[in-house]
Amino acid sequence: MKKNKALIEFNGLVTEFHTDGSTLRAVDNISFTLNKGETIGVVGESGSGKSVTSLSAMRLVPSPPGKISSGEIIFHKNESTSVNLLSLSEEEMRSHRGNDLAMIFQEPMTSLNPVFTCGNQVVEAIILHQKLNSKVAKDLAIDLFKKVELPDPERIFNTYPHQISGGQKQRVMIAMAMSCKPSVLIADEPTTALDVTVQKTILELMQGLQKEYEMGIIFITHDLGVIAELADKVVVMYKGKIVEQGNVWDIFTKPKHPYTKGLLACRPPLNKRYKFLPTVSDFMQVDSSGNVIDNKISVRDFTKKIIVSDKERKERLVNLYKQDPILKVQNLKTYFPIKKGFFGGTSGYVKAVDNISFDVYPKETLGLVGESGCGKTTTGRTILRLEEPMSGKMIYKGIDIASMSANELRDFRKEVQIIFQDPYSSLNPRMTIGNAIMEPMQVHGIYESEKDRKNKVQELLEKVSLDPTHFYRYPHEFSGGQRQRIGIARALALNPKFIICDESVSALDVSVQAQVLNLLNDLKKEFGLTYIFISHDLSVVKYMSDRMVVMQGGKIEEMGDADQIYNSPQTAYTKKLIDAVPEGKTEDIRKK
């Protein structure tokens, strides 16, 4: 990458939000410089101020309640022209936004208009900024779709956002951002919750476009593994402040701030096993005044103490597989009919789960991994009879789930629970979280009185590291990590023996993800639980699982010991999944 003249400078930026008589400094006096052809990775947890920094640069902070209080953002259009973006009128800012500075938002579905085709939205941006006629704009849009490697660009041009995958929507957003060849591209968590293979393709695409246009990129993420492979410099943010910044090699090999150490340590490693995942609190504490106290420990020293030996792991596996399976899935098929015509005739089937077989043993964690659409979630939902199988058997403790009566199924669902991918959509927004957790107890008649149930809910809240007084709060009052803990508490309410975790940490910050994974493992030991752990993230599945099932196109690609599959994958597909995981190793930094 070229690192020459400055493109955009943040000098003492302060952005505040004023609500209910109080003021929150979301961005607190930050300064850094992006040069031409350079990528700066801005990292930190949710609430660190990284997204507000990008919105400030684009002058898109919602006002009220937000306000850019002080500082400068100097954009160098060329060698002779510089402008403070914060001093421009809205009309003047519009001439820069889209033309000189472009942004890719975290969730493409919410930033694409659902009532316009993908092509029309890109054409609109081209016509607005470049004053071209519609035919030339359409040709340019299709050319951009080719450049971002969208399959069948002419077809995608005429499709609506809901008709394409998450990775394809993200490519449409990149095409739109690149339509005016901006000098600065701000990418706000552009790969969060995408499959690792799609993420890898998106990152390679952005790097290719950067070289072609000599752009500067501000890449915002909570994942330092991604930053290692992409960035030249790193800015680490915590509670609105920059706690550390420097070149990517120094940050990864000699982190100075304990918060940086925590972020580096908490992602599950692929080449070793830990007894538990490190978290930020292992490296620093925060006192009552909000001051950071450094625990004075290195990442290397800390992680040495928590490595699981090969002997420990082998002993566990020998004891596990002495038992009879608690669940036997045999030749399971779940097909969804494709309806066609006015009368809804079936023209074919989507083979979501296509003749798969596997066993699960008591107190085991079996990982299901694969890209979106591989059938892993449908497998979990079919086991719970949330989807009906077309054929096959699912034998739980000697009884076929597929042939259970209504009463048997009711008892079965007390014992087998699910933690859903999106805890917010699975919680009733009008019901307090205490009542949401208590509801399954009421349905199944567990405990004799409401007082006993309430006491149990408060005990469960403590178990998942939430305050018992949160009983009376509503879902919107909690963070993503807290809502996931509520989902876990609700799954535990019926004293289950078997839990299906469906992408239960996929959209969480790596530090919060580490806390939730540790919690799941602690609960497993305490209550003797058995898990099916579903995720597209191979590093998370490998950390959690004893055995792993790799799925593609509704079928099982390979199955076996999680460590063996990682160390010697037997299929090209599994190898592709492993190769796509950004590990944040120093070798990745050296490649640049």
Side-chain angles (χ1 to χ4, degrees):
M1 291 286 175
K2 293 180 183 177
K3 300 177 189 66
N4 35 33
K5 66 186 181 88
L7 270 178
I8 191 166
E9 297 176 69
F10 293 76
N11 298 323
L13 179 67
V14 176
T15 304
E16 298 176 328
F17 288 84
H18 304 275
T19 54
D20 300 326
S22 63
T23 298
L24 170 69
R25 277 202 167 187
V27 175
D28 191 359
N29 194 30
I30 68 163
S31 301
F32 65 92
T33 300
L34 174 72
N35 296 318
K36 188 175 183 180
E38 183 177 65
T39 299
I40 289 183
V42 181
V43 297
E45 299 167 287
S46 294
S48 63
K50 56 191 191 297
S51 290
V52 178
T53 299
S54 67
L55 292 172
S56 300
M58 297 294 288
R59 293 272 303 275
L60 292 174
V61 174
S63 177
K67 182 186 177 185
I68 300 172
S69 304
S70 61
E72 297 178 321
I73 302 176
I74 307 297
F75 171 62
H76 301 277
K77 190 174 178 70
N78 52 50
E79 290 182 10
S80 58
T81 308
S82 299
V83 62
N84 179 7
L85 298 176
L86 303 185
S87 67
L88 300 179
S89 67
E90 179 54 33
E91 187 177 347
E92 289 170 325
M93 186 63 203
R94 272 200 296 270
S95 69
H96 291 286
R97 196 188 294 132
N99 266 333
D100 301 315
L101 303 117
M103 186 165 177
I104 304 168
F105 294 93
Q106 180 171 355
E107 178 42 69
M109 192 63 207
T110 57
S111 44
L112 289 170
N113 192 323
V115 301
F116 290 105
T117 65
C118 296
N120 280 341
Q121 296 184 61
V122 178
V123 163
E124 181 186 31
I126 292 168
I127 292 172
L128 178 67
H129 291 291
Q130 298 190 44
K131 313 300 182 192
L132 300 174
N133 66 48
S134 57
K135 184 182 183 307
V136 175
K138 180 179 178 180
D139 291 343
L140 182 54
I142 290 174
D143 188 55
L144 282 164
F145 282 3
K146 289 175 184 171
K147 201 174 284 286
V148 299
E149 298 176 25
L150 277 165
D152 196 353
E154 286 81 2
R155 180 185 64 81
I156 298 279
F157 185 92
N158 294 308
T159 60
Y160 291 89
H162 72 274
Q163 295 175 300
I164 57 177
S165 71
Q168 289 172 337
K169 282 194 279 280
Q170 199 60 279
R171 288 166 197 247
V172 171
M173 283 296 299
I174 292 172
M176 192 184 301
M178 297 306 303
S179 62
C180 297
K181 300 180 182 178
S183 303
V184 177
L185 178 66
I186 300 171
D188 185 6
E189 299 271 15
T191 59
T192 297
L194 292 181
D195 296 333
V196 285
T197 48
V198 178
Q199 172 178 272
K200 185 178 183 183
T201 308
I202 295 289
L203 296 178
E204 286 173 350
L205 168 65
M206 290 177 65
Q207 286 174 306
L209 292 170
Q210 179 182 38
K211 284 178 184 172
E212 184 176 345
Y213 297 121
E214 291 192 314
M215 287 185 303
I217 295 179
I218 297 174
F219 194 96
I220 295 167
T221 183
H222 60 259
D223 190 343
L224 276 158
V226 171
I227 289 300
E229 298 187 5
L230 189 72
D232 302 296
K233 293 193 303 198
V234 184
V235 171
V236 183
M237 293 189 68
Y238 174 69
K239 292 191 175 178
K241 294 179 182 290
I242 293 175
V243 294
E244 187 166 0
Q245 63 176 303
N247 72 63
V248 67
W249 176 263
D250 288 343
I251 295 291
F252 273 74
T253 58
K254 295 175 287 189
K256 293 183 175 63
H257 197 277
Y259 181 68
T260 311
K261 294 176 188 176
L263 288 181
L264 283 167
C266 61
R267 183 159 176 79
L270 276 166
N271 58 349
K272 56 179 88 76
R273 275 191 178 264
Y274 289 162
K275 293 171 184 172
F276 59 88
L277 287 174
T279 62
V280 170
S281 61
D282 291 314
F283 297 89
M284 63 179 245
Q285 304 297 321
V286 181
D287 67 18
S288 56
S289 302
N291 300 311
V292 171
I293 302 165
D294 191 341
N295 290 354
K296 304 288 185 186
I297 186 166
S298 75
V299 173
R300 187 187 296 259
D301 290 343
F302 188 89
T303 54
K304 268 184 189 174
K305 300 174 185 175
I306 58 173
I307 291 174
V308 176
S309 69
D310 289 341
K311 183 184 175 186
E312 288 175 283
R313 177 163 161 72
K314 282 174 184 171
E315 285 175 359
R316 169 176 164 72
L317 295 181
V318 166
N319 291 328
L320 264 183
Y321 302 129
K322 279 178 183 174
Q323 311 170 91
D324 292 327
I326 190 173
L327 173 70
K328 295 175 75 70
V329 174
Q330 299 171 346
N331 306 112
L332 183 65
K333 294 182 181 179
T334 305
Y335 294 178
F336 297 115
I338 301 167
K339 299 293 184 183
K340 197 171 184 181
F342 183 76
F343 296 104
T346 300
S347 62
Y349 291 91
V350 174
K351 297 180 179 181
V353 177
D354 193 10
N355 197 30
I356 68 170
S357 301
F358 59 85
D359 296 338
V360 186
Y361 292 81
K363 300 181 184 178
E364 177 185 33
T365 297
L366 180 75
L368 292 186
V369 67
E371 297 170 287
S372 296
C374 71
K376 56 191 188 295
T377 290
T378 304
T379 299
R381 290 177 62 85
T382 304
I383 290 167
L384 279 164
R385 289 271 301 276
L386 297 174
E387 305 289 354
E388 290 297 330
M390 180 167 271
S391 64
K393 293 184 175 180
M394 301 171 288
I395 313 295
Y396 181 77
K397 292 186 174 178
I399 302 171
D400 188 358
I401 300 165
S403 59
M404 282 180 177
S405 66
N407 285 338
E408 287 174 325
L409 194 59
R410 182 186 175 94
D411 291 338
F412 165 75
R413 284 182 176 156
K414 270 174 67 177
E415 200 160 308
V416 182
Q417 286 285 299
I418 186 167
I419 302 168
F420 292 99
Q421 178 172 358
D422 182 356
Y424 192 67
S425 64
S426 61
L427 292 168
N428 187 331
R430 295 186 179 88
M431 187 181 284
T432 67
I433 61 112
N435 286 327
I437 297 168
M438 197 159 62
E439 187 180 37
M441 300 181 193
Q442 294 164 333
V443 169
H444 288 278
I446 294 177
Y447 302 109
E448 292 183 2
S449 68
E450 290 296 285
K451 183 181 177 183
D452 290 340
R453 291 182 190 122
K454 183 178 176 182
N455 289 339
K456 179 64 177 176
V457 170
Q458 291 180 323
E459 182 186 313
L460 285 170
L461 288 172
E462 281 192 289
K463 191 73 69 182
V464 299
S465 304
L466 291 173
D467 196 308
T469 60
H470 289 166
F471 185 101
Y472 300 101
R473 292 190 184 178
Y474 289 87
H476 73 272
E477 298 180 79
F478 295 91
S479 69
Q482 288 173 321
R483 284 198 288 263
Q484 200 57 273
R485 290 168 188 270
I486 293 162
I488 293 168
R490 186 172 60 176
L492 292 171
L494 300 177
N495 301 315
K497 287 296 177 189
F498 196 122
I499 297 179
I500 296 170
C501 305
D502 184 14
E503 296 276 15
S504 50
V505 296
S506 64
L508 300 179
D509 292 338
V510 283
S511 53
V512 179
Q513 175 181 279
Q515 293 167 24
V516 173
L517 294 177
N518 287 341
L519 171 64
L520 287 169
N521 278 334
D522 290 344
L523 294 169
K524 179 182 174 181
K525 287 176 194 166
E526 185 175 348
F527 296 109
L529 298 172
T530 304
Y531 290 142
I532 288 179
F533 193 90
I534 298 167
S535 179
H536 65 261
D537 188 333
L538 193 135
S539 59
V540 169
V541 171
K542 180 186 172 293
Y543 167 72
M544 290 294 289
S545 305
D546 299 295
R547 285 182 306 135
M548 197 155 65
V549 175
V550 182
M551 293 187 69
Q552 183 188 24
K555 295 181 181 292
I556 291 175
E557 281 280 322
E558 65 181 293
M559 172 169 55
D561 178 87
D563 285 7
Q564 286 179 4
I565 285 179
Y566 170 70
N567 291 324
S568 54
Q570 299 301 300
T571 69
Y573 177 73
T574 307
K575 190 172 187 310
K576 185 179 83 165
L577 279 184
I578 292 168
D579 290 344
V581 177
E583 296 181 61
K585 296 186 294 190
T586 50
E587 302 92 272
D588 298 323
I589 301 168
R590 287 195 192 102
K591 287 174 191 169
K592 294 186 203 176

